[in-house]
Tab-separated table of all heavy atoms in Angstrom:
chain	number	residue	atom	x	y	z
A	227	ILE	N	-75.036	48.625	-85.155
A	227	ILE	CA	-73.996	48.342	-86.144
A	227	ILE	C	-74.575	48.274	-87.557
A	227	ILE	O	-73.823	48.250	-88.539
A	227	ILE	CB	-73.249	47.039	-85.816
A	227	ILE	CG1	-74.208	45.838	-85.868
A	227	ILE	CG2	-72.545	47.134	-84.481
A	227	ILE	CD1	-73.487	44.514	-85.709
A	228	GLU	N	-75.911	48.234	-87.637
A	228	GLU	CA	-76.595	48.231	-88.931
A	228	GLU	C	-76.089	47.119	-89.862
A	228	GLU	O	-75.902	47.326	-91.064
A	228	GLU	CB	-76.409	49.590	-89.627
A	228	GLU	CG	-77.028	50.752	-88.873
A	228	GLU	CD	-78.547	50.603	-88.735
A	228	GLU	OE1	-79.195	50.210	-89.723
A	228	GLU	OE2	-79.063	50.871	-87.630
A	229	HIS	N	-75.895	45.950	-89.284
A	229	HIS	CA	-75.429	44.807	-90.085
A	229	HIS	C	-76.592	43.852	-90.327
A	229	HIS	O	-77.249	43.409	-89.386
A	229	HIS	CB	-74.294	44.072	-89.367
A	229	HIS	CG	-73.720	42.935	-90.172
A	229	HIS	ND1	-72.864	43.139	-91.225
A	229	HIS	CD2	-73.905	41.589	-90.085
A	229	HIS	CE1	-72.527	41.973	-91.746
A	229	HIS	NE2	-73.145	41.014	-91.075
A	230	PRO	N	-76.856	43.500	-91.592
A	230	PRO	CA	-77.998	42.626	-91.875
A	230	PRO	C	-77.713	41.155	-91.578
A	230	PRO	O	-76.589	40.681	-91.780
A	230	PRO	CB	-78.229	42.838	-93.371
A	230	PRO	CG	-76.876	43.173	-93.911
A	230	PRO	CD	-76.192	43.957	-92.829
A	231	ILE	N	-78.719	40.449	-91.094
A	231	ILE	CA	-78.676	39.003	-90.963
A	231	ILE	C	-79.463	38.442	-92.139
A	231	ILE	O	-80.649	38.724	-92.288
A	231	ILE	CB	-79.291	38.525	-89.630
A	231	ILE	CG1	-78.515	39.133	-88.450
A	231	ILE	CG2	-79.292	37.008	-89.546
A	231	ILE	CD1	-77.057	38.718	-88.384
A	232	ARG	N	-78.788	37.664	-92.980
A	232	ARG	CA	-79.394	37.222	-94.234
A	232	ARG	C	-79.813	35.754	-94.179
A	232	ARG	O	-79.225	34.958	-93.466
A	232	ARG	CB	-78.419	37.452	-95.392
A	232	ARG	CG	-78.117	38.921	-95.648
A	232	ARG	CD	-77.335	39.108	-96.939
A	232	ARG	NE	-77.258	40.527	-97.306
A	232	ARG	CZ	-76.270	41.327	-96.970
A	232	ARG	NH1	-75.260	40.858	-96.251
A	232	ARG	NH2	-76.283	42.600	-97.330
A	233	TRP	N	-80.832	35.459	-94.974
A	233	TRP	CA	-81.307	34.083	-95.083
A	233	TRP	C	-80.198	33.152	-95.559
A	233	TRP	O	-80.092	32.016	-95.099
A	233	TRP	CB	-82.479	34.019	-96.067
A	233	TRP	CG	-83.757	34.572	-95.529
A	233	TRP	CD1	-84.362	35.744	-95.881
A	233	TRP	CD2	-84.615	33.970	-94.539
A	233	TRP	NE1	-85.534	35.916	-95.182
A	233	TRP	CE2	-85.712	34.831	-94.349
A	233	TRP	CE3	-84.550	32.787	-93.802
A	233	TRP	CZ2	-86.736	34.551	-93.463
A	233	TRP	CZ3	-85.565	32.492	-92.913
A	233	TRP	CH2	-86.644	33.375	-92.753
A	234	TYR	N	-79.378	33.625	-96.490
A	234	TYR	CA	-78.315	32.781	-97.046
A	234	TYR	C	-77.354	32.323	-95.952
A	234	TYR	O	-77.004	31.140	-95.870
A	234	TYR	CB	-77.551	33.553	-98.125
A	234	TYR	CG	-76.547	32.714	-98.878
A	234	TYR	CD1	-76.963	31.831	-99.868
A	234	TYR	CD2	-75.186	32.815	-98.608
A	234	TYR	CE1	-76.044	31.063	-100.571
A	234	TYR	CE2	-74.255	32.049	-99.302
A	234	TYR	CZ	-74.690	31.179	-100.281
A	234	TYR	OH	-73.773	30.409	-100.955
A	235	GLY	N	-76.949	33.256	-95.112
A	235	GLY	CA	-76.054	32.908	-94.012
A	235	GLY	C	-76.711	31.965	-93.019
A	235	GLY	O	-76.070	31.050	-92.483
A	236	LEU	N	-78.007	32.181	-92.775
A	236	LEU	CA	-78.740	31.317	-91.846
A	236	LEU	C	-78.804	29.890	-92.379
A	236	LEU	O	-78.617	28.918	-91.615
A	236	LEU	CB	-80.153	31.865	-91.638
A	236	LEU	CG	-81.042	31.058	-90.683
A	236	LEU	CD1	-80.476	31.065	-89.281
A	236	LEU	CD2	-82.463	31.606	-90.682
A	237	PHE	N	-79.041	29.734	-93.672
A	237	PHE	CA	-79.099	28.387	-94.249
A	237	PHE	C	-77.726	27.723	-94.270
A	237	PHE	O	-77.618	26.499	-94.126
A	237	PHE	CB	-79.708	28.431	-95.653
A	237	PHE	CG	-81.212	28.411	-95.648
A	237	PHE	CD1	-81.943	29.551	-95.941
A	237	PHE	CD2	-81.898	27.247	-95.333
A	237	PHE	CE1	-83.331	29.532	-95.925
A	237	PHE	CE2	-83.285	27.224	-95.312
A	237	PHE	CZ	-84.008	28.360	-95.609
A	238	TRP	N	-76.680	28.500	-94.461
A	238	TRP	CA	-75.321	27.957	-94.355
A	238	TRP	C	-75.107	27.402	-92.952
A	238	TRP	O	-74.603	26.282	-92.778
A	238	TRP	CB	-74.291	29.065	-94.630
A	238	TRP	CG	-73.658	28.991	-95.979
A	238	TRP	CD1	-74.143	29.499	-97.142
A	238	TRP	CD2	-72.417	28.367	-96.305
A	238	TRP	NE1	-73.280	29.239	-98.176
A	238	TRP	CE2	-72.213	28.550	-97.702
A	238	TRP	CE3	-71.458	27.691	-95.566
A	238	TRP	CZ2	-71.080	28.065	-98.357
A	238	TRP	CZ3	-70.325	27.196	-96.226
A	238	TRP	CH2	-70.153	27.394	-97.598
A	239	LEU	N	-75.468	28.183	-91.938
A	239	LEU	CA	-75.303	27.747	-90.555
A	239	LEU	C	-76.145	26.514	-90.275
A	239	LEU	O	-75.683	25.567	-89.607
A	239	LEU	CB	-75.706	28.882	-89.613
A	239	LEU	CG	-75.616	28.578	-88.111
A	239	LEU	CD1	-74.190	28.235	-87.724
A	239	LEU	CD2	-76.113	29.781	-87.296
A	240	LEU	N	-77.383	26.489	-90.782
A	240	LEU	CA	-78.255	25.332	-90.601
A	240	LEU	C	-77.625	24.083	-91.212
A	240	LEU	O	-77.655	22.992	-90.607
A	240	LEU	CB	-79.615	25.597	-91.235
A	240	LEU	CG	-80.632	24.437	-91.174
A	240	LEU	CD1	-80.960	24.098	-89.729
A	240	LEU	CD2	-81.893	24.791	-91.953
A	241	GLY	N	-77.038	24.223	-92.383
A	241	GLY	CA	-76.383	23.094	-93.033
A	241	GLY	C	-75.241	22.542	-92.207
A	241	GLY	O	-75.086	21.320	-92.063
A	242	ILE	N	-74.423	23.438	-91.643
A	242	ILE	CA	-73.288	23.005	-90.809
A	242	ILE	C	-73.782	22.267	-89.572
A	242	ILE	O	-73.267	21.208	-89.202
A	242	ILE	CB	-72.428	24.221	-90.406
A	242	ILE	CG1	-71.756	24.820	-91.638
A	242	ILE	CG2	-71.383	23.824	-89.370
A	242	ILE	CD1	-71.039	26.131	-91.377
A	243	VAL	N	-74.809	22.809	-88.919
A	243	VAL	CA	-75.340	22.204	-87.693
A	243	VAL	C	-75.926	20.813	-87.978
A	243	VAL	O	-75.656	19.850	-87.244
A	243	VAL	CB	-76.411	23.110	-87.056
A	243	VAL	CG1	-77.119	22.386	-85.907
A	243	VAL	CG2	-75.774	24.404	-86.544
A	244	LEU	N	-76.709	20.700	-89.039
A	244	LEU	CA	-77.322	19.414	-89.376
A	244	LEU	C	-76.261	18.369	-89.726
A	244	LEU	O	-76.340	17.214	-89.282
A	244	LEU	CB	-78.295	19.580	-90.539
A	244	LEU	CG	-79.583	20.352	-90.246
A	244	LEU	CD1	-80.407	20.525	-91.516
A	244	LEU	CD2	-80.412	19.646	-89.169
A	245	CYS	N	-75.267	18.772	-90.514
A	245	CYS	CA	-74.188	17.844	-90.875
A	245	CYS	C	-73.418	17.408	-89.635
A	245	CYS	O	-73.054	16.233	-89.494
A	245	CYS	CB	-73.240	18.499	-91.875
A	245	CYS	SG	-73.960	18.768	-93.509
A	246	TYR	N	-73.174	18.343	-88.733
A	246	TYR	CA	-72.448	18.037	-87.493
A	246	TYR	C	-73.226	17.022	-86.651
A	246	TYR	O	-72.655	16.067	-86.117
A	246	TYR	CB	-72.223	19.329	-86.710
A	246	TYR	CG	-71.390	19.146	-85.456
A	246	TYR	CD1	-70.009	19.297	-85.508
A	246	TYR	CD2	-71.982	18.835	-84.235
A	246	TYR	CE1	-69.236	19.136	-84.361
A	246	TYR	CE2	-71.216	18.668	-83.096
A	246	TYR	CZ	-69.848	18.819	-83.161
A	246	TYR	OH	-69.096	18.640	-82.035
A	247	LYS	N	-74.529	17.230	-86.557
A	247	LYS	CA	-75.369	16.330	-85.751
A	247	LYS	C	-75.399	14.923	-86.337
A	247	LYS	O	-75.287	13.917	-85.618
A	247	LYS	CB	-76.787	16.891	-85.651
A	247	LYS	CG	-76.922	18.163	-84.824
A	247	LYS	CD	-76.675	17.879	-83.359
A	247	LYS	CE	-76.916	19.134	-82.528
A	247	LYS	NZ	-76.645	18.889	-81.070
A	248	ILE	N	-75.567	14.837	-87.649
A	248	ILE	CA	-75.659	13.526	-88.296
A	248	ILE	C	-74.336	12.781	-88.216
A	248	ILE	O	-74.292	11.590	-87.863
A	248	ILE	CB	-76.098	13.692	-89.769
A	248	ILE	CG1	-77.518	14.258	-89.828
A	248	ILE	CG2	-76.038	12.352	-90.502
A	248	ILE	CD1	-77.929	14.729	-91.214
A	249	LEU	N	-73.235	13.474	-88.522
A	249	LEU	CA	-71.927	12.830	-88.416
A	249	LEU	C	-71.595	12.490	-86.970
A	249	LEU	O	-70.946	11.473	-86.693
A	249	LEU	CB	-70.843	13.733	-89.009
A	249	LEU	CG	-70.713	13.739	-90.528
A	249	LEU	CD1	-69.596	14.675	-90.970
A	249	LEU	CD2	-70.451	12.335	-91.057
A	250	GLY	N	-72.048	13.332	-86.039
A	250	GLY	CA	-71.809	13.065	-84.620
A	250	GLY	C	-72.451	11.750	-84.201
A	250	GLY	O	-71.845	10.948	-83.467
A	251	SER	N	-73.665	11.515	-84.675
A	251	SER	CA	-74.354	10.262	-84.356
A	251	SER	C	-73.621	9.075	-84.970
A	251	SER	O	-73.469	8.020	-84.326
A	251	SER	CB	-75.791	10.331	-84.886
A	251	SER	OG	-76.460	9.106	-84.685
A	252	LEU	N	-73.137	9.237	-86.195
A	252	LEU	CA	-72.423	8.157	-86.873
A	252	LEU	C	-71.103	7.841	-86.180
A	252	LEU	O	-70.786	6.673	-85.919
A	252	LEU	CB	-72.169	8.550	-88.328
A	252	LEU	CG	-71.324	7.584	-89.161
A	252	LEU	CD1	-72.008	6.229	-89.279
A	252	LEU	CD2	-71.040	8.165	-90.533
A	253	PHE	N	-70.338	8.889	-85.880
A	253	PHE	CA	-69.037	8.681	-85.244
A	253	PHE	C	-69.172	8.125	-83.828
A	253	PHE	O	-68.303	7.385	-83.358
A	253	PHE	CB	-68.241	9.990	-85.227
A	253	PHE	CG	-67.699	10.380	-86.572
A	253	PHE	CD1	-67.584	11.712	-86.931
A	253	PHE	CD2	-67.311	9.415	-87.480
A	253	PHE	CE1	-67.085	12.079	-88.172
A	253	PHE	CE2	-66.809	9.767	-88.728
A	253	PHE	CZ	-66.691	11.093	-89.071
A	254	LYS	N	-70.248	8.472	-83.159
A	254	LYS	CA	-70.486	7.927	-81.819
A	254	LYS	C	-70.645	6.415	-81.875
A	254	LYS	O	-70.112	5.681	-81.034
A	254	LYS	CB	-71.731	8.571	-81.205
A	254	LYS	CG	-71.985	8.144	-79.757
A	254	LYS	CD	-73.192	8.881	-79.180
A	254	LYS	CE	-73.426	8.456	-77.728
A	254	LYS	NZ	-74.598	9.168	-77.147
A	255	LYS	N	-71.381	5.933	-82.897
A	255	LYS	CA	-71.564	4.494	-83.071
A	255	LYS	C	-70.241	3.808	-83.419
A	255	LYS	O	-70.037	2.635	-83.109
A	255	LYS	CB	-72.589	4.221	-84.165
A	255	LYS	CG	-73.998	4.667	-83.811
A	255	LYS	CD	-74.951	4.425	-84.970
A	255	LYS	CE	-76.359	4.901	-84.624
A	255	LYS	NZ	-77.298	4.708	-85.780
A	256	GLU	N	-69.348	4.550	-84.090
A	256	GLU	CA	-68.060	3.986	-84.485
A	256	GLU	C	-66.982	4.194	-83.435
A	256	GLU	O	-65.832	3.803	-83.633
A	256	GLU	CB	-67.610	4.606	-85.811
A	256	GLU	CG	-68.528	4.262	-86.980
A	256	GLU	CD	-68.068	4.847	-88.295
A	256	GLU	OE1	-67.343	5.861	-88.255
A	256	GLU	OE2	-68.417	4.303	-89.347
A	257	GLY	N	-67.354	4.815	-82.324
A	257	GLY	CA	-66.413	4.994	-81.225
A	257	GLY	C	-65.419	6.118	-81.415
A	257	GLY	O	-64.364	6.127	-80.764
A	258	ARG	N	-65.750	7.073	-82.252
A	258	ARG	CA	-64.860	8.212	-82.471
A	258	ARG	C	-65.172	9.317	-81.466
A	258	ARG	O	-66.346	9.611	-81.209
A	258	ARG	CB	-65.023	8.767	-83.889
A	258	ARG	CG	-64.645	7.767	-84.966
A	258	ARG	CD	-63.153	7.646	-85.112
A	258	ARG	NE	-62.791	6.563	-86.034
A	258	ARG	CZ	-61.557	6.269	-86.379
A	258	ARG	NH1	-60.553	6.997	-85.884
A	258	ARG	NH2	-61.298	5.271	-87.188
A	259	PRO	N	-64.143	9.971	-80.905
A	259	PRO	CA	-64.386	11.032	-79.918
A	259	PRO	C	-64.942	12.294	-80.562
A	259	PRO	O	-64.834	12.506	-81.775
A	259	PRO	CB	-62.988	11.283	-79.333
A	259	PRO	CG	-62.050	10.892	-80.431
A	259	PRO	CD	-62.712	9.724	-81.131
A	260	THR	N	-65.530	13.155	-79.751
A	260	THR	CA	-66.095	14.417	-80.236
A	260	THR	C	-65.025	15.288	-80.881
A	260	THR	O	-65.301	16.000	-81.858
A	260	THR	CB	-66.752	15.185	-79.074
A	260	THR	OG1	-67.754	14.348	-78.468
A	260	THR	CG2	-67.399	16.464	-79.554
A	261	GLU	N	-63.812	15.240	-80.338
A	261	GLU	CA	-62.723	16.054	-80.878
A	261	GLU	C	-62.430	15.695	-82.331
A	261	GLU	O	-62.047	16.552	-83.134
A	261	GLU	CB	-61.446	15.861	-80.043
A	261	GLU	CG	-61.511	16.438	-78.637
A	261	GLU	CD	-62.334	15.572	-77.683
A	261	GLU	OE1	-62.640	14.398	-78.041
A	261	GLU	OE2	-62.663	16.051	-76.579
A	262	PHE	N	-62.628	14.434	-82.676
A	262	PHE	CA	-62.423	13.976	-84.049
A	262	PHE	C	-63.371	14.700	-84.999
A	262	PHE	O	-62.967	15.212	-86.040
A	262	PHE	CB	-62.659	12.457	-84.105
A	262	PHE	CG	-62.442	11.844	-85.464
A	262	PHE	CD1	-61.183	11.434	-85.869
A	262	PHE	CD2	-63.503	11.670	-86.344
A	262	PHE	CE1	-60.978	10.862	-87.122
A	262	PHE	CE2	-63.315	11.109	-87.595
A	262	PHE	CZ	-62.045	10.700	-87.977
A	263	LEU	N	-64.634	14.764	-84.619
A	263	LEU	CA	-65.641	15.447	-85.432
A	263	LEU	C	-65.397	16.947	-85.461
A	263	LEU	O	-65.557	17.589	-86.508
A	263	LEU	CB	-67.043	15.153	-84.899
A	263	LEU	CG	-68.202	15.888	-85.579
A	263	LEU	CD1	-68.241	15.578	-87.073
A	263	LEU	CD2	-69.521	15.524	-84.917
A	264	ASP	N	-65.009	17.516	-84.334
A	264	ASP	CA	-64.752	18.959	-84.281
A	264	ASP	C	-63.650	19.359	-85.257
A	264	ASP	O	-63.770	20.350	-85.990
A	264	ASP	CB	-64.360	19.377	-82.864
A	264	ASP	CG	-65.520	19.266	-81.885
A	264	ASP	OD1	-66.679	19.198	-82.345
A	264	ASP	OD2	-65.267	19.219	-80.664
A	265	GLN	N	-62.572	18.580	-85.277
A	265	GLN	CA	-61.463	18.882	-86.183
A	265	GLN	C	-61.878	18.709	-87.642
A	265	GLN	O	-61.541	19.537	-88.499
A	265	GLN	CB	-60.270	17.979	-85.863
A	265	GLN	CG	-59.616	18.268	-84.523
A	265	GLN	CD	-58.460	17.327	-84.229
A	265	GLN	OE1	-57.851	16.774	-85.135
A	265	GLN	NE2	-58.162	17.121	-82.953
A	266	LEU	N	-62.620	17.634	-87.921
A	266	LEU	CA	-63.083	17.401	-89.289
A	266	LEU	C	-63.982	18.545	-89.754
A	266	LEU	O	-63.882	19.011	-90.902
A	266	LEU	CB	-63.836	16.077	-89.371
A	266	LEU	CG	-64.459	15.729	-90.733
A	266	LEU	CD1	-63.392	15.657	-91.816
A	266	LEU	CD2	-65.243	14.427	-90.655
A	267	THR	N	-64.848	19.015	-88.871
A	267	THR	CA	-65.760	20.107	-89.211
A	267	THR	C	-64.995	21.374	-89.577
A	267	THR	O	-65.323	22.058	-90.558
A	267	THR	CB	-66.714	20.399	-88.040
A	267	THR	OG1	-67.471	19.216	-87.734
A	267	THR	CG2	-67.672	21.533	-88.382
A	268	ILE	N	-63.968	21.691	-88.816
A	268	ILE	CA	-63.160	22.883	-89.097
A	268	ILE	C	-62.499	22.761	-90.462
A	268	ILE	O	-62.517	23.702	-91.277
A	268	ILE	CB	-62.102	23.091	-87.998
A	268	ILE	CG1	-62.782	23.448	-86.670
A	268	ILE	CG2	-61.118	24.196	-88.392
A	268	ILE	CD1	-61.841	23.487	-85.483
A	269	TYR	N	-61.924	21.603	-90.743
A	269	TYR	CA	-61.276	21.373	-92.039
A	269	TYR	C	-62.278	21.547	-93.179
A	269	TYR	O	-61.989	22.222	-94.181
A	269	TYR	CB	-60.689	19.955	-92.097
A	269	TYR	CG	-59.291	19.820	-91.536
A	269	TYR	CD1	-59.059	19.789	-90.166
A	269	TYR	CD2	-58.186	19.690	-92.383
A	269	TYR	CE1	-57.784	19.643	-89.648
A	269	TYR	CE2	-56.897	19.543	-91.883
A	269	TYR	CZ	-56.703	19.526	-90.512
A	269	TYR	OH	-55.432	19.384	-90.011
A	270	ILE	N	-63.449	20.927	-93.029
A	270	ILE	CA	-64.447	20.951	-94.106
A	270	ILE	C	-65.004	22.350	-94.328
A	270	ILE	O	-65.152	22.803	-95.480
A	270	ILE	CB	-65.597	19.975	-93.800
A	270	ILE	CG1	-65.077	18.534	-93.775
A	270	ILE	CG2	-66.707	20.113	-94.834
A	270	ILE	CD1	-64.513	18.062	-95.087
């Protein structure tokens, strides 16, 4: 398909994953379900 994978896109993905993990840990302590974080992530 000759489509490039770029560093910029990779860092965007890394940012989303790290934010998801950190918020996931926080929401777990606050008793929030995974679905709560999933919906928030989509909105953001």
